Amino acid sequence: MFGNKVLKGVFLVGLGATSYGMLATFVKLAYDENYTTAEVTTSQFVLGILGLLLINLFQKNRKKGTVIKASRTNIFQLMLAGTSLGMTSVFYYLAVKYIPVSIGIVLLMQTVWMGVLLEWFLDKKAPSLQKIISVAIVLFGTALATNLLNATIDLDWRGVMWGLLAAASFTTTMFTANRIALGISTSQRSLYMLLGGAVVVFGFALFTQTTPFDFAIFSKWGIILALFGTIIPPMLMNSGFPHTGIGLGSIVSSLELPVSVLMAFVILNESVVLSQWIGILLIILAIVIMNISLKKTKAN
């Protein structure tokens, strides 16, 4: 059915999405040990940057000067785009501080309809009926997945607000990342975007950290957060997407949603009722519907 390259791409994208899905649970565990959002994000980005620097150095030595270097324009554009990556991390981690991880990831997945609106605004092209149907399914699935239809639901408005802001900034990240500096290596693009994100994260830490910074976070959770949040996922997904195409890759990357909810259910003992699982499946279905035609086009 698929060639070896496509299967390889599916595996890489799926593994990257799975890594992302685990991230919020680790953040929640760090919060349980009284680490702050500033400490969590700072440790993740500092160690992530160091990790990507080592990867870039390794690739440069292995390819012996044949690596295409990023121009000043590339670096500026990638760092500027990376600021939205930093905002995504800050907003998302603030969200899961006030609401369950299972709800936070559903709010983050609102990138599906936000992406449609952004594309409509920038490209001046109305969305197709297929995309409109997908958005409607996402919104209904979100109502179920957040248990919004339950009259007794009590969601902290701060968590909902930060979750939607995280989705908005993540939409910007995905949109710009697929359009700029495509001629340089994945590791270089990831590094410069991370450097741009670090500016936002360090600024946030500087203005919000009111207690002495606990450097124990680096050895306790920093390595795990950097691996699962800023090193493994972008490298795997950026390597896998060229083989899968945008359509199939988007479908596979939706694995992040059930993995995140399952992790929260198993490790954090968060309550997830049947209607929420149905909502999650509907959101994944919407992503499939939105991208299935792209998949067929690529196959032809």
Side-chain angles (χ1 to χ4, degrees):
M1 183 178 177
F2 295 127
N4 288 333
K5 287 187 177 180
V6 177
L7 286 174
K8 178 183 177 182
V10 168
F11 176 76
L12 291 173
V13 172
L15 200 58
T18 300
S19 297
Y20 266 140
M22 297 179 181
L23 189 59
T25 295
F26 296 135
V27 172
K28 201 80 168 180
L29 290 172
Y31 283 157
D32 289 343
E33 296 183 8
N34 296 319
Y35 289 110
T36 65
T37 304
E39 290 165 346
V40 168
T41 52
T42 298
S43 63
Q44 177 184 330
F45 273 72
V46 168
L47 294 178
I49 289 170
L50 290 175
L52 284 171
L53 279 171
L54 291 174
I55 291 172
N56 276 280
L57 184 62
F58 172 78
Q59 289 184 343
K60 184 178 179 180
N61 290 333
R62 190 185 66 172
K63 296 184 178 181
K64 301 185 184 301
T66 60
V67 176
I68 299 174
K69 292 183 178 180
S71 65
R72 289 185 178 181
T73 301
N74 290 153
I75 294 172
F76 174 77
Q77 290 177 335
L78 287 168
M79 288 188 67
L80 187 62
T83 57
S84 61
L85 183 66
M87 286 188 283
T88 300
S89 294
V90 170
F91 294 155
Y92 186 42
Y93 294 172
L94 284 172
V96 297
K97 193 171 186 178
Y98 299 109
I99 57 177
V101 169
S102 55
I103 303 297
I105 186 63
V106 169
L107 292 175
L108 185 64
M109 294 302 288
Q110 302 311 296
T111 52
V112 176
W113 63 265
M114 289 182 180
V116 172
L117 288 181
L118 184 62
E119 187 178 42
W120 187 3
F121 175 75
L122 294 178
D123 295 342
K124 309 299 181 185
K125 184 179 179 181
S128 64
L129 178 62
Q130 182 179 0
K131 288 186 177 180
I132 293 173
I133 293 172
S134 297
V135 167
I137 294 174
V138 166
L139 293 175
F140 181 65
T142 300
L144 291 175
T146 56
N147 213 11
L148 197 62
L149 302 180
N150 185 348
T152 61
I153 192 71
D154 185 24
L155 287 179
D156 192 314
W157 67 269
R158 292 171 295 181
V160 174
M161 178 191 70
W162 291 123
L164 291 175
L165 284 174
S169 58
F170 191 46
T171 301
T172 305
T173 300
M174 291 192 299
F175 202 80
T176 55
N178 290 319
R179 295 191 173 205
I180 58 176
L182 299 179
I184 63 175
S185 66
T186 298
S187 57
Q188 285 186 82
R189 294 177 73 239
S190 299
L191 174 62
Y192 292 123
M193 287 189 72
L194 205 59
L195 286 170
V199 174
V200 173
V201 167
F202 295 161
F204 171 79
L206 185 64
F207 285 102
T208 62
Q209 185 71 15
T210 56
T211 57
F213 193 95
D214 190 349
F215 288 95
I217 184 71
F218 282 91
S219 58
K220 180 67 176 180
W221 292 107
I223 296 174
I224 295 175
L225 294 172
L227 282 174
F228 286 93
T230 51
I231 298 177
I232 293 176
M235 293 293 292
L236 290 179
M237 296 178 83
N238 286 330
S239 297
F241 262 94
H243 298 304
T244 62
I246 296 174
L248 180 58
S250 298
I251 294 169
V252 176
S253 64
S254 65
L255 277 172
E256 177 185 351
L257 181 55
V259 168
S260 184
V261 175
L262 192 61
M263 285 281 290
F265 178 73
V266 174
I267 296 179
L268 301 177
N269 295 317
E270 289 188 2
S271 175
V272 184
V273 298
L274 180 60
S275 62
Q276 289 177 277
W277 283 113
I278 293 173
I280 289 165
L281 290 175
L282 284 174
I283 293 173
I284 295 173
L285 175 64
I287 295 170
V288 172
I289 291 174
M290 186 177 291
N291 292 286
I292 196 71
S293 63
L294 293 176
K295 185 176 121 179
K296 288 181 179 178
T297 301
K298 188 178 187 301
N300 292 333

